[in-house]
Amino acid sequence: MPNAKSPRVRAVPAVTRAVAILRLLSRSPAPQSLKAIAETLDLVPSTALHIVRALLAEDLLQVDPQTKRYSLGVGMLPLARAVLENADFPSLMRPKLEELSGRYGVTAIGVEVPDLDNMIVVALARSQAPVRLHVDIGSRFPALISATGRCVAAFSGQPEKEIEKRFRLLRWHNAPTFETWRKEVDQVRKQGFSIDRGNYIAGVTIVAVPVLNAKGTISHTIAAVGLGSQLDRATSLALARDMRVVAEAIAPQLAIHA
């Protein structure tokens, strides 16, 4: 019997393809030609052209008249702004992230974890330190990478086979073995935080804590990024403790708004 709470969703090819184009261009470091878009997404060029024209008309794309290359348009901005301003987690996190960033001199990040494939930066406080990492609202990363990834693996409730399959695809500067990583994930379950020292990015330490829902599964994480020389063991542990306090304070407020 079909689940009455999960109505059947009929595919709408034009919508699916339009979303695929927007996602492709959001991940592209440079504007893309129509040919590149069509080939990457396996679209008939004429179909891609019709969709691109419709997106241009809505200002969701823009095109360089000389190179004929496409990128996201200014029409995306009010949509993204509305999502972030109306979402509970970013609004609750912003002042907390500013406080953590100012206290420890780190880039503090609020991350949404929709699934095992991606995590999305939805809130951000940049460090004022002369050397800092560049990350933007809307940036996407593999969900299981770095310190946040260990939190996701520990508290997602997903089968280990699914987790291992995705782990094998990750790219690290200094990749741990799956067996070592799995032991680290077990430790995260016990201590409630994760610290990545140079595994993901050389010379960089990343601290992450999970934000858990009422079922005890992860919905968001809080991460802090700093240079390894800046975040020694004692400082990293102090930061992790403060981040846990924030996560535990935020979680009930998210439940109230759910």
Side-chain angles (χ1 to χ4, degrees):
M1 292 291 291
N3 188 343
K5 295 183 179 180
S6 301
R8 182 186 175 199
V9 178
R10 298 183 63 182
V12 183
V15 174
T16 302
R17 292 164 182 163
V19 171
I21 290 172
L22 293 173
R23 284 179 173 163
L24 171 65
L25 293 177
S26 75
R27 298 190 300 265
S28 300
Q32 299 291 305
S33 66
L34 181 67
K35 180 181 179 182
I37 293 171
E39 289 180 349
T40 302
L41 299 177
D42 197 22
L43 297 176
V44 176
S46 60
T47 299
L49 178 60
H50 287 307
I51 296 172
V52 161
R53 284 176 174 172
L55 294 172
L56 285 169
E58 299 294 335
D59 291 326
L60 299 179
L61 293 186
Q62 60 187 4
V63 60
D64 185 312
Q66 295 185 342
T67 65
K68 303 298 183 184
R69 292 178 180 269
Y70 298 87
S71 58
L72 295 182
V74 294
M76 297 292 298
L77 294 176
L79 299 178
R81 189 179 303 115
V83 171
L84 294 175
E85 289 178 352
N86 296 324
D88 295 316
F89 181 74
S91 61
L92 291 169
M93 280 307 306
R94 285 188 199 103
K96 305 293 187 182
L97 296 179
E98 293 287 351
E99 184 179 348
L100 288 168
S101 178
R103 187 185 310 164
Y104 288 95
V106 296
T107 295
I109 305 169
V111 179
E112 183 173 335
V113 187
D115 50 45
L116 278 181
D117 294 316
N118 297 287
M119 52 180 162
I120 306 166
V121 176
V122 296
L124 179 65
R126 289 189 172 89
S127 164
Q128 297 305 310
V131 178
R132 57 180 185 261
L133 296 181
H134 180 73
V135 64
D136 289 314
I137 300 293
S139 295
R140 289 174 176 260
F141 300 93
L144 295 179
I145 201 73
S146 191
T148 288
R150 294 180 180 91
C151 293
V152 174
F155 296 102
S156 66
Q158 295 295 321
E160 185 169 320
K161 287 185 178 179
E162 291 298 318
I163 290 174
E164 181 176 1
K165 180 172 69 174
R166 288 165 174 80
F167 174 86
R168 301 293 183 188
L169 301 175
L170 298 177
R171 295 183 178 180
W172 311 68
H173 168 76
N174 181 24
T177 65
F178 180 70
E179 290 71 23
T180 296
W181 183 80
R182 185 170 55 181
K183 291 177 182 178
E184 293 168 347
V185 169
D186 290 339
Q187 186 65 27
V188 171
R189 289 193 187 95
K190 298 175 183 177
Q191 64 191 17
F193 64 87
S194 175
I195 301 177
D196 183 297
R197 299 188 184 281
N199 287 127
Y200 182 36
I201 304 172
V204 171
T205 294
I206 302 173
V207 182
V209 301
V211 179
L212 305 179
N213 59 28
K215 297 179 180 179
T217 56
I218 194 167
S219 61
H220 301 80
T221 70
I222 306 169
V225 183
L227 296 178
S229 57
Q230 168 194 8
L231 291 175
D232 58 21
R233 185 176 186 276
T235 305
S236 297
L237 291 174
L239 173 57
R241 286 193 292 268
D242 286 346
M243 290 168 65
R244 282 192 63 185
V245 171
V246 171
E248 290 168 1
I250 289 292
Q253 297 180 62
L254 293 175
I256 290 172
H257 294 287

